[in-house]
Amino acid sequence: MNMEEMLVKCQFEQWLYDEAQLLDDIEFDHWFDLMHRSLRYQMPVRINKEGVERPDYSTDMFTFNDDIELLKLRVDRLKTDYAWAEIPPSRTRRFVSNVRVKDYVEGEKAVVKSYLLIYRSRSTDIKHDLISGERNDEFIFEEGNWKLSKRIFIVDQTTINTRNLAIFI
Amino acid sequence: MIKTDKPLEEMSKRQVVNHLYDTVKPEEGVIPAYLLGDPKVYEIEHEKVFLKTWVFVGHESEVPNKGDFMTRELAGYSLIITRDGEGEIRAFYNMCTHRGMKLCRADKGNKSMFTCPYHGFNFKNTGELVGVPLQKDIYGGTLDRTTMGLHKVKLESYKGLLFGTWNEDAEPLEDFLGDIRWYLDILVGRAEMEVIGVPQRFVVSSNWKVGSDNFVGDSYHTMVTHGSIAKLGMVPSATYSKRGFQIHTENGHGLNLGTPNPDFAFPEELKAEFKSNLSVEQYGVLSNLKNMIGNVFPNLSFLISHTKIKDQFISNTSVRMWRPIGHNKMEVIAWMLVEKNASQDWKDRSRDSFILTFSPSGIFEQDDTEVFTDITEAAQGPMPFLKNLTYNYTMGLHREPVEFVGPGVAYDDKFTEASQRNFYKYWLELMTK
């Protein structure tokens, strides 16, 4: 990896760390500002298949399949007094690692893969939930900022071991 | 008040059953909290409910082609469901008849043979044992393969919904379903239906009965638990959930039927198909349907939901199973169904409305799981039993049923607990049999 590639990688690592902080700090409006209007926000359902048959996830059923409007609805919902699933809000800690820049056109677009581990704690519960998976993100450069235009989160469990996904991935 | 000094865990099964008989009073609207928190009750339930009744295992459209298979669970035991070379759907216990190893560990796929990972015994998707490695050499020609086919599981379909049972003496599925079939026709018999993709699966720390109870008759919670939906303009008002009918039928089945609806909730272009599959009365209900929420005893819930998303009305149809994992844990498995002959645009919009509302990320679903978890936690341990804490199920006890075009006992709005009382009545009947 040359110096230029390292700087690009560093830039997206920082983006993902900043994003993680906004979500963990429950700054959903600021987080939403990071999204591009052409957003596709997906989490396919995993499937156990025979052998190495791929893809081992559904191509037509998702746990999230939002565009910018639906994502906005989720953010707005959390601000009503009736979003019981997040009253009190989950304490989350997002660990982002293994960041790899797959495609990059300066000032235009980028494709970035990363691993994500979310620790989730609810209320007084002494148990915690872990959600692990891989993010496949695409970015568009707009008005001096990188905006997320596509996210496909490939979760590692076929049966998700958390009571709901009232949180963002 | 019934008092006992003996904790449930020290009681024999017979004593627990007697205690259930003394303390569970569905007809009076009295349901004790320990039913949701006790491992012993759960154990008896497994034996007397889940090993006895028909339990949902999937939909025919999940194995559309010859050679397709899927693995499912029936009362805690793994099944392989296959569509054989003749197109027949069969179910087998997922256990090699030689030494008991699981034959298939994939969720789904297509193949006509299942090979055991232990000794390589080979079974056809009709259940026959067709291959044993080195058979002649090691058994000297004495192995009778014909007695070693896979254990068949009793499987029947109603309008594509597949149910299995371990009970050889179970009544025919149609009889078990009884009058709820009239409503299942509207749910899954109105048109050729198919499952989109694969079911959603997630784990909730809840007793399975909380889910069934919620879907069989609890529209009352919608105002508060799902208050955000009205705030977001997806339904007209918080009291939206009251209008309609609550209906229950024999064997603990029941539903809430939301009417009227000025906006036809289904694909317009399929009206002819709907009419050809339904009676005039059923079509009348369908064309005026706002939503339909119900439960087939014990743990198959069903739902037609109709909401406004992006200023457009769209319905989604789903079934879900509250699969018990323990007395305080269940796996929720949710299948989304759609009219096979609908336009791709309808299918996509319907799917995305399902994901937004009733998948694990769904904005209805999320708040339910929060409630289910806390209810279950509050029922745990010896205290709720020893203090005989009970839930109040008396809503609507004063009301008289009304005439309705469909069968069953109907009430003319959804805010009553008659369906839940009916659910627990049948549950108690099975438990104390």
Side-chain angles (χ1 to χ4, degrees):
Chain A
M1 194 183 281
N2 62 36
M3 186 63 85
E4 201 184 324
E5 287 166 338
M6 282 171 71
L7 286 171
V8 170
K9 178 174 174 277
C10 193
Q11 185 183 6
F12 286 102
E13 275 174 343
Q14 199 56 51
W15 193 101
L16 293 167
Y17 297 160
D18 291 343
E19 182 204 13
Q21 170 121 44
L22 289 174
L23 285 172
D24 292 344
D25 289 351
I26 320 171
E27 296 272 4
F28 297 133
D29 285 334
H30 289 136
W31 174 71
F32 186 76
D33 288 342
L34 299 175
M35 304 296 139
H36 191 262
R37 63 185 178 280
S38 68
L39 179 75
R40 179 55 56 184
Y41 183 81
Q42 289 184 327
M43 176 175 164
V45 177
R46 286 307 285 269
I47 310 170
N48 297 307
K49 287 196 171 169
E50 291 270 317
V52 290
E53 197 189 328
R54 293 292 178 272
D56 59 347
Y57 54 82
S58 180
T59 52
D60 52 5
M61 187 45 81
F62 308 89
T63 304
F64 285 103
N65 188 29
D66 292 354
D67 59 12
I68 195 79
E69 239 180 294
L70 295 184
L71 194 72
K72 180 75 166 55
L73 190 76
R74 291 182 190 275
V75 170
D76 287 346
R77 187 190 101 91
L78 290 168
K79 292 187 231 165
T80 69
D81 295 334
Y82 293 94
W84 307 111
E86 284 296 305
I87 301 175
S90 299
R91 283 180 210 99
T92 60
R93 190 70 57 200
R94 286 169 175 73
F95 299 88
V96 181
S97 70
N98 299 52
V99 177
R100 284 152 296 148
V101 179
K102 291 292 176 185
D103 191 13
Y104 177 71
V105 180
E106 196 185 340
E108 207 176 303
K109 60 175 185 169
V111 176
V112 180
K113 276 178 180 277
S114 61
Y115 291 176
L116 176 69
L117 181 67
I118 307 175
Y119 168 97
R120 185 187 192 193
S121 168
R122 294 280 309 125
S123 187
T124 53
D125 208 337
I126 56 164
K127 296 191 299 289
H128 62 267
D129 300 340
L130 289 177
I131 302 158
S132 153
E134 183 181 81
R135 278 170 169 175
N136 295 276
D137 292 340
E138 292 180 22
F139 295 88
I140 292 174
F141 196 75
E142 197 176 71
E143 292 164 4
N145 297 302
W146 287 104
K147 300 268 183 174
L148 185 71
S149 60
K150 189 171 187 181
R151 167 163 290 166
I152 304 176
F153 180 69
I154 307 292
V155 67
D156 290 329
Q157 282 183 316
T158 41
T159 297
I160 299 164
N161 192 17
T162 190
R163 64 180 76 172
N164 57 43
L165 281 159
I167 58 169
F168 296 105
I169 42 89
Chain B
M1 186 196 266
I2 289 154
K3 288 207 170 173
T4 174
D5 296 328
K6 202 172 188 180
L8 268 174
E9 56 181 9
E10 287 171 21
M11 287 185 185
S12 70
K13 258 185 200 170
R14 180 48 37 208
Q15 286 171 315
V16 174
V17 167
N18 287 341
H19 194 71
L20 286 173
Y21 196 76
D22 292 339
T23 55
V24 186
K25 303 277 176 204
E27 270 128 339
E28 295 165 28
V30 178
I31 303 296
Y34 72 84
L35 301 195
L36 304 179
D38 191 77
K40 211 144 187 178
V41 172
Y42 177 77
E43 227 177 88
I44 299 171
E45 237 168 26
H46 182 243
E47 192 185 311
K48 297 202 170 200
V49 175
F50 287 93
L51 290 178
K52 290 285 164 63
T53 56
W54 289 97
V55 181
F56 184 70
V57 291
H59 189 266
E60 282 183 23
S61 68
E62 294 181 89
V63 284
N65 306 307
K66 288 173 182 173
D68 283 352
F69 71 87
M70 57 184 176
T71 49
R72 287 292 144 83
E73 281 210 328
L74 176 57
Y77 299 100
S78 180
L79 302 187
I80 308 176
I81 296 173
T82 65
R83 192 186 281 270
D84 70 19
E86 306 291 302
E88 193 185 325
I89 300 179
R90 302 159 182 269
F92 304 102
Y93 187 25
N94 190 1
M95 182 191 103
C96 179
T97 52
H98 173 235
R99 199 60 88 247
M101 174 60 189
K102 216 178 214 186
L103 278 174
C104 180
R105 290 173 296 162
D107 295 337
K108 59 183 283 193
N110 183 288
K111 60 179 186 180
S112 54
M113 295 285 189
F114 295 89
T115 304
C116 177
Y118 204 11
H119 303 96
F121 278 43
N122 212 354
F123 298 84
K124 237 178 109 176
N125 61 1
T126 50
E128 282 165 82
L129 174 62
V130 288
V132 175
L134 307 176
Q135 189 190 337
K136 281 197 184 119
D137 193 15
I138 54 179
Y139 287 103
T142 61
L143 185 74
D144 184 4
R145 285 202 320 247
T146 60
T147 61
M148 291 184 66
L150 293 176
H151 298 290
K152 274 194 179 159
V153 178
K154 213 168 158 171
L155 185 80
E156 286 183 24
S157 167
Y158 185 74
K159 307 262 158 124
L161 300 175
L162 294 167
F163 293 79
T165 182
W166 293 108
N167 181 1
E168 287 305 318
D169 302 322
E171 59 191 321
L173 176 66
E174 295 222 347
D175 296 351
F176 170 70
L177 294 174
D179 286 340
I180 197 79
R181 285 178 300 163
W182 198 89
Y183 303 95
L184 292 180
D185 291 349
I186 295 171
L187 181 85
V188 290
R190 65 179 186 261
E192 190 179 349
M193 302 293 283
E194 63 180 2
V195 170
I196 294 193
V198 292
Q200 305 268 3
R201 296 164 178 266
F202 57 109
V203 171
V204 183
S205 297
S206 166
N207 184 277
W208 68 274
K209 291 192 288 302
V210 189
S212 295
D213 177 307
N214 179 278
F215 272 68
V216 81
D218 201 317
S219 285
Y220 183 43
H221 79 289
T222 314
M223 288 196 299
V224 178
T225 312
H226 305 305
S228 67
I229 312 303
K231 293 254 179 209
L232 295 170
M234 293 172 71
V235 296
S237 69
T239 50
Y240 165 86
S241 53
K242 189 169 186 284
R243 290 186 70 184
F245 295 88
Q246 184 179 99
I247 301 147
H248 65 258
T249 65
E250 65 277 60
N251 298 348
H253 314 309
L255 74 154
N256 277 319
L257 210 142
T259 59
N261 187 2
D263 307 285
F264 188 67
F266 306 94
E268 293 276 344
E269 69 273 20
L270 298 185
K271 279 185 170 168
E273 188 178 352
F274 298 141
K275 281 181 186 164
S276 71
N277 286 306
L278 299 173
S279 69
V280 173
E281 291 77 15
Q282 285 170 322
Y283 183 76
V285 170
L286 179 87
S287 57
N288 204 22
L289 191 73
K290 209 164 56 177
N291 51 36
M292 185 159 102
I293 309 118
N295 189 65
V296 174
F297 190 92
N299 64 338
L300 174 67
S301 286
F302 54 89
L303 174 70
I304 297 173
S305 165
H306 193 219
T307 50
K308 197 190 218 175
I309 296 171
K310 297 184 188 177
D311 284 325
Q312 266 187 300
F313 279 107
I314 183 84
S315 72
N316 64 79
T317 300
S318 62
V319 296
R320 56 183 44 232
M321 191 165 64
W322 318 103
R323 187 176 81 78
I325 302 176
H327 66 283
N328 56 5
K329 207 177 248 197
M330 66 185 182
E331 182 184 12
V332 184
I333 311 180
W335 290 257
M336 197 238 152
L337 288 147
V338 76
E339 290 86 348
K340 197 176 178 181
N341 298 320
S343 67
Q344 194 57 47
D345 175 61
W346 169 274
K347 289 182 185 180
D348 290 347
R349 287 203 302 122
S350 185
R351 176 195 61 198
D352 291 345
S353 80
F354 164 73
I355 294 169
L356 183 72
T357 54
F358 281 99
S359 79
S361 78
I363 58 184
F364 282 81
E365 188 77 52
Q366 291 173 16
D367 297 326
D368 281 332
T369 55
E370 198 70 12
V371 172
F372 292 3
T373 307
D374 281 2
I375 288 174
T376 301
E377 196 181 302
Q380 304 300 300
M383 185 279 286
F385 172 77
L386 290 170
K387 290 188 88 73
N388 197 30
L389 303 187
T390 60
Y391 306 123
N392 183 300
Y393 279 83
T394 59
M395 194 200 305
L397 262 179
H398 64 289
R399 286 167 61 184
E400 290 298 321
V402 295
E403 284 289 311
F404 184 67
V405 292
V409 182
Y411 293 88
D412 61 353
D413 79 40
K414 300 196 283 181
F415 288 5
T416 165
E417 281 154 357
S419 275
Q420 286 122 311
R421 290 191 290 270
N422 179 61
F423 171 88
Y424 275 109
K425 191 177 133 229
Y426 185 62
W427 178 87
L428 184 66
E429 206 178 301
L430 292 181
M431 291 291 278
T432 53
K433 223 177 211 172

